[in-house]
Amino acid sequence: MAHNKVRVRFAPSPTGPLHIGGVRTALFNYLFAKKNGGDFILRIEDTDQNRYVEGAENYIVDALNWCGLSFDEGPGKEGAFGPYRQSERKHLYKKYADELIEKGMAYYAFDTADSLNAHRKDHEEKGKTFIYNWHNRLKLDNSLTLTKEETKKKLDNGDAYVIRFKTPENETLILQDVIRGTITIDTNVLDDKVLYKSDGMPTYHLANIVDDHLMEISHVIRGEEWLPSLALHQQLYDAFGWSAPTFAHLPLIMKPVGKGKLSKRDGEKLGFPVFPLSWNESIGYKEEGYFSEAVVNFLALLGWNPGTEQEIFSLEELVKEFSLERVNKSGARFDPDKTKWYNQQYLQNKKDAELASLFKIILAEKQIPSQEYNDEWTEKVVSLIKERAVFVKDFWDLSNYFFVAPTSYPEKAVKKQWKEGTPDIMKEVISVISPIEDFNSGNVETIVKKWITDKELSFGKVMPPLRLVIVGDMKGPHIFDILEMIGKEQTIARIKKAINTL
């Protein structure tokens, strides 16, 4: 079947939350589809009912939507190729398993779990590994060794069975992968994989191939962990006489330190999320305060390289630039500091009005009465402090003194700034600023600095203690901007309070 239209699918199993490695797989599928004017399909691979987790499917959909990766077809968006949950397609698979048996490319196996375990043990004791394939299948309990009548009798009796693929002997498979090039495999090392079980459920391998064929999937873009399955999948396409899709296996996302694949444990140990959204005890990128665009941007550059120095990409730009040819073969090391850097870049580029509306949610949680700040004022606060922030949740610590007067002062700063003559200097500051009518930053600065110079005081005797009493710490933006924002009355009140308490 010639694939004219690009159709790709993201096909997770609902066995828990979606790991960010899964989100990246979805992203690369999405980018490839949009770049080529194609369709992006979500298929839920829930044939393994024992591992099914309540709520996982909704989580997958919510996570994709949060990232802006909306699918064209999938559960709840029925296209012409549904249903999109494998459990609702299970009536389809048996006939394909039967077809392979008729062609002599698959067979019934009646071996019990106990007998297979015994074979495994026996092999281990001899220092060998048990593989069910050409070298022993004629000694085991299956339809290759039984007569037609014996096989039929077992099936009619309702004996438990599986259907196994009959891997050919002494052949060399030549497989193609867009990212990895040509791969050759000796079929003698492959096992006869189970395709179908007597409980009426196909295994992942059969369902996957049949669905990709029926859904007219043109490209299979998936994680490197599926590379070992490629040989079987290619053989199944050939066995059915179908043209296979183009395969691309993405590199793994590696741990920030050491070797191996990024895991939930790495996140717990180093304190960063590994899930897009929170799940049970594990906090997600969304709840941690990341912007979804920042998450999408850093995931895109894990394993894909645009070939330029550019690091910041909108989803539209990613679609335009993306190609499978520029995906790396080797694993991509995950860098938690870089993810924060991305969030910071996106935060700095957002409009103050948008950030202020997010900040107001925090102000409400802090029970700051809303009559004390309007939109314009909050935006001004945000504009003064945002360059020091990585997340919106940092805003409160950076700006609380705009909203509430300090109630205490750090000991170290007091020791350094509050000297014997400081209270008198602060009293003079009050008398200098009291008469000022136009209390804007530039005006107040000019008057105060002129007074300091006229009095031949050092700036170090006036400015740092003034910051300490206004802010309650040695932090914050330009001090005169702060004075303008809190106003003359509040400025004087804070100076007086410090004179009385320090």
Side-chain angles (χ1 to χ4, degrees), residues 253-268:
I253 298 180
M254 312 302 279
K255 297 174 181 299
V257 284
K259 289 189 166 58
K261 182 176 152 183
L262 179 72
S263 74
K264 190 178 146 187
R265 290 257 320 273
D266 298 312
E268 285 163 1

Side-chain angles (χ1 to χ4, degrees), residues 17 59 275-288:
Y59 179 99
F275 301 128
L277 315 174
S278 290
W279 175 269
N280 299 342
E281 313 293 286
S282 303
I283 194 158
Y285 275 89
K286 180 186 177 187
E287 292 75 12
E288 189 65 32

Side-chain angles (χ1 to χ4, degrees), residues 11-36:
S13 299
T15 54
L18 193 57
H19 186 278
I20 53 163
V23 179
R24 187 199 57 173
T25 298
L27 171 63
F28 284 14
N29 274 280
Y30 175 91
L31 296 176
F32 184 77
K34 298 301 152 198
K35 166 88 182 252
N36 294 292

Side-chain angles (χ1 to χ4, degrees), residues 219-318:
H219 294 72
V220 169
I221 304 166
R222 58 188 177 188
E224 185 179 281
E225 61 270 28
W226 297 112
L227 206 52
S229 308
L230 181 58
L232 173 65
H233 294 178
Q234 181 64 55
Q235 290 183 95
L236 285 169
Y237 280 104
D238 296 344
F240 286 119
W242 300 336
S243 70
T246 302
F247 289 100
H249 289 82
L250 307 174
L252 293 172
I253 298 180
M254 312 302 279
K255 297 174 181 299
V257 284
K259 289 189 166 58
K261 182 176 152 183
L262 179 72
S263 74
K264 190 178 146 187
R265 290 257 320 273
D266 298 312
E268 285 163 1
K269 221 162 49 205
L270 298 168
F272 63 86
V274 293
F275 301 128
L277 315 174
S278 290
W279 175 269
N280 299 342
E281 313 293 286
S282 303
I283 194 158
Y285 275 89
K286 180 186 177 187
E287 292 75 12
E288 189 65 32
Y290 282 83
F291 297 115
S292 59
E293 312 95 291
V295 173
V296 164
N297 195 154
F298 82 68
L299 281 177
L301 287 144
L302 277 177
W304 169 77
N305 169 359
T308 59
E309 294 299 302
Q310 185 177 343
E311 291 190 284
I312 302 293
F313 291 88
S314 67
L315 194 54
E316 292 69 37
E317 289 173 303
L318 286 170

Side-chain angles (χ1 to χ4, degrees), residues 427-439:
K427 281 179 191 153
E428 284 193 53
V429 171
I430 294 178
S431 57
V432 171
I433 64 176
S434 292
I436 300 176
E437 289 292 321
D438 182 4
F439 205 74

Side-chain angles (χ1 to χ4, degrees), residues 44-86:
I44 300 294
E45 306 218 321
D46 57 351
T47 53
D48 191 346
Q49 292 293 308
N50 301 325
R51 292 178 62 225
Y52 179 81
V53 173
E54 196 59 50
E57 185 187 313
N58 287 342
Y59 179 99
I60 291 165
V61 173
D62 292 344
L64 293 179
N65 287 336
W66 180 65
C67 292
L69 309 176
S70 61
F71 47 90
D72 301 301
E73 295 167 31
K77 279 194 195 171
E78 302 303 316
F81 297 87
Y84 294 91
R85 283 183 200 95
Q86 283 185 336

Side-chain angles (χ1 to χ4, degrees), residues 6 148 216 224 226 272 309 323 351 402 423 484 492:
V6 165
K148 267 206 160 120
E216 296 181 13
E224 185 179 281
W226 297 112
F272 63 86
E309 294 299 302
S323 78
K351 294 205 167 32
F402 283 107
E484 176 187 330
I492 293 169

Side-chain angles (χ1 to χ4, degrees), residues 301-347:
L301 287 144
L302 277 177
W304 169 77
N305 169 359
T308 59
E309 294 299 302
Q310 185 177 343
E311 291 190 284
I312 302 293
F313 291 88
S314 67
L315 194 54
E316 292 69 37
E317 289 173 303
L318 286 170
V319 167
K320 216 171 89 202
E321 295 298 324
F322 186 75
S323 78
L324 288 173
E325 283 65 33
R326 296 207 70 93
V327 174
N328 312 327
K329 277 195 197 63
S330 54
R333 186 174 290 281
F334 185 81
D335 180 353
D337 294 331
K338 191 72 180 183
T339 64
K340 286 186 177 156
W341 178 85
Y342 270 107
N343 207 66
Q344 193 170 23
Q345 302 303 308
Y346 276 87
L347 183 115

